[in-house]
Amino acid sequence: MTVANTFAVVRLLAMTDREKDAEILVLRHQITVLERWLDGVRVRFAGPDRVLLAALLHGLPRGVLRRMRLLVRPDTVLRWHRNLIAGRRAARSRPKCPGRPPTVRLPGCWYPAAGTASGAGGTRAGAVGGCTARCWCPASRRRLQVEVLLACDFLKTVTLTGARMYMLAVIEPHTRRVRVLGATAHPTASWVRQAARNLVMDLQDAGCRARFLIRDRDGKFPESFDAVLADAGIQTVLTGVRMPRMNAVMERWVRTCRRELLDRTFVWNQRHLLHALREFETFYNQHRPHQGIANARPLKPLPSAIIEPNQIAHLNIRRRQRLGGIINEYEHAA
């Protein structure tokens, strides 16, 4: 079919405008006769025919397509072109190696076996890659597991000038405490390595006994980032390919930061972004309640409950605004 269309184009080059107009009129009349004989029966186009018509007609305006005599509607031709583009993108994104991706090996201390498969409080599934799958263990053991975990990730935003800014943040899944390590337009290896050093010093000052840090396979993390953490006794654990649920707590914080801050703020430059992130970090750690830790705050305990009827009837609530009212804090007046 490609060869036939090529010869057809060559033949059209030798024809005059009068001959082309006459052929167009003949073809339009033949289409009218064909529609009369079909009497409402739909014409089935093969795949190559659809590709050719979509490639020739998708660039024409919709009004021009409506004036043309076609056996199908103009919207059908445009739909063929959309399906063609979607199929091309799907073919490019199809993995080159078929089959299931390799299993990620996780540290065994994440899901330690509390007994045998048949004993009380033991695992309910076999070991996979050095760790147990769907392991059940007591709540106290699960808390010990979470206390030694950290999670980090990069998130991106765009300033008013169109510059891309990259931010690096770390969260403690046990307490939900967030540390924003910085923001930069160029996350070089030296910048990321220095951010790791700052994180290690902050953890030592806070007395945090983390042993594992979960991160994705982003190319912005150099080998020196893992080396700095390894010197401090923190082992880096990589998530699976396209498995954001393996770092669910961090991904949830990224979504919260976007919805409550970045999507509602016009960022001028790096200085403005750092100021907004510091304010949101303070709000997130000291005021915002978290359902995962019984509506407590990472750095402040729960306030005492009000049980006096007089106090309930005469509540005095004060509001504190951050970042010009984007973030609001409410508390009882002393």
Side-chain angles (χ1 to χ4, degrees):
M1 179 176 291
T2 304
V3 176
N5 294 328
T6 303
F7 282 106
V9 173
V10 174
R11 187 178 63 86
L12 291 176
L13 295 177
M15 296 177 62
T16 62
D17 294 341
R18 182 179 179 180
E19 294 174 350
K20 293 179 182 178
D21 295 339
E23 184 174 358
I24 290 174
L25 293 176
V26 172
L27 291 176
R28 291 173 66 93
H29 181 69
Q30 290 178 357
I31 292 176
T32 304
V33 175
L34 180 60
E35 291 177 346
R36 188 189 310 156
W37 278 93
L38 291 175
D39 193 16
V41 180
R42 297 178 56 185
V43 180
R44 300 292 182 179
F45 287 87
D49 300 329
R50 295 183 179 185
V51 171
L52 177 62
L53 293 177
L56 295 176
L57 301 177
H58 81 278
L60 299 178
R62 193 182 295 268
V64 176
L65 291 177
R66 289 195 179 97
R67 293 194 298 267
M68 298 178 64
R69 293 301 303 269
L70 300 173
L71 295 178
V72 294
R73 294 183 301 176
D75 294 338
T76 303
V77 177
L78 298 178
R79 178 170 55 83
W80 289 347
H81 182 260
R82 291 194 300 268
N83 294 340
L84 178 63
I85 298 301
R88 182 183 302 176
R89 293 178 179 175
R92 291 179 178 177
S93 60
R94 187 178 298 114
K96 298 180 180 179
C97 299
R100 185 176 179 180
T103 305
V104 180
R105 185 179 181 88
L106 300 178
C109 67
W110 280 25
Y111 303 94
T116 61
S118 59
T123 59
R124 300 305 181 189
V128 178
C131 64
T132 57
R134 296 182 180 179
C135 174
W136 183 90
C137 54
S140 59
R141 185 177 294 273
R142 291 199 299 269
R143 285 195 298 267
L144 292 176
Q145 296 170 6
V146 178
E147 288 177 0
V148 297
L149 294 182
L150 294 175
C152 72
D153 196 5
F154 274 97
L155 60 156
K156 180 180 64 175
T157 188
V158 181
T159 63
L160 289 177
T161 60
R164 295 183 180 181
M165 302 298 297
Y166 299 89
M167 298 149 283
L168 180 59
V170 177
I171 190 171
E172 298 178 14
H174 175 57
T175 62
R176 297 299 195 274
R177 180 179 179 179
V178 172
R179 293 177 173 88
V180 178
L181 302 183
T184 180
H186 305 285
T188 59
S190 59
W191 185 89
V192 179
R193 181 172 59 253
Q194 183 60 41
R197 294 171 179 169
N198 297 338
L199 172 63
V200 170
M201 291 187 294
D202 193 5
L203 294 176
Q204 293 176 354
D205 295 340
C208 181
R209 54 188 186 91
R211 294 175 51 194
F212 300 97
L213 182 137
I214 311 172
R215 69 170 179 87
D216 55 15
R217 300 172 182 267
D218 196 336
K220 291 186 286 293
F221 289 104
E223 296 181 358
S224 57
F225 178 84
D226 300 338
V228 172
L229 296 177
D231 294 340
I234 301 176
Q235 178 182 349
T236 302
V237 180
L238 302 181
T239 62
V241 178
R242 296 182 180 179
M243 293 183 181
R245 290 189 177 182
M246 293 184 65
N247 199 3
V249 178
M250 188 68 223
E251 296 291 344
R252 186 63 179 86
W253 181 85
V254 171
R255 175 186 172 185
T256 301
C257 183
R258 292 187 184 280
R259 186 183 69 249
E260 298 184 7
L261 178 66
L262 299 179
D263 293 345
R264 305 169 60 186
T265 307
F266 292 105
V267 180
W268 289 99
N269 49 29
Q270 180 180 0
R271 182 179 179 182
H272 181 212
L273 177 61
L274 286 174
H275 171 70
L277 290 175
R278 297 305 180 193
E279 289 290 326
F280 184 75
E281 178 184 357
T282 303
F283 166 76
Y284 192 90
N285 292 333
Q286 299 183 6
H287 186 82
R288 190 179 188 274
H290 302 275
Q291 295 183 357
I293 53 177
N295 289 326
R297 295 164 290 185
L299 297 182
K300 288 187 177 181
L302 282 172
S304 57
I306 299 177
I307 58 177
E308 294 293 336
N310 295 332
Q311 295 181 1
I312 297 176
H314 301 86
L315 291 177
N316 187 7
I317 306 298
R318 292 184 179 181
R319 182 182 67 175
R320 179 184 177 184
Q321 294 184 343
R322 292 183 179 271
L323 299 175
I326 296 180
I327 301 174
N328 295 291
E329 298 179 355
Y330 300 90
E331 58 184 1
H332 296 284

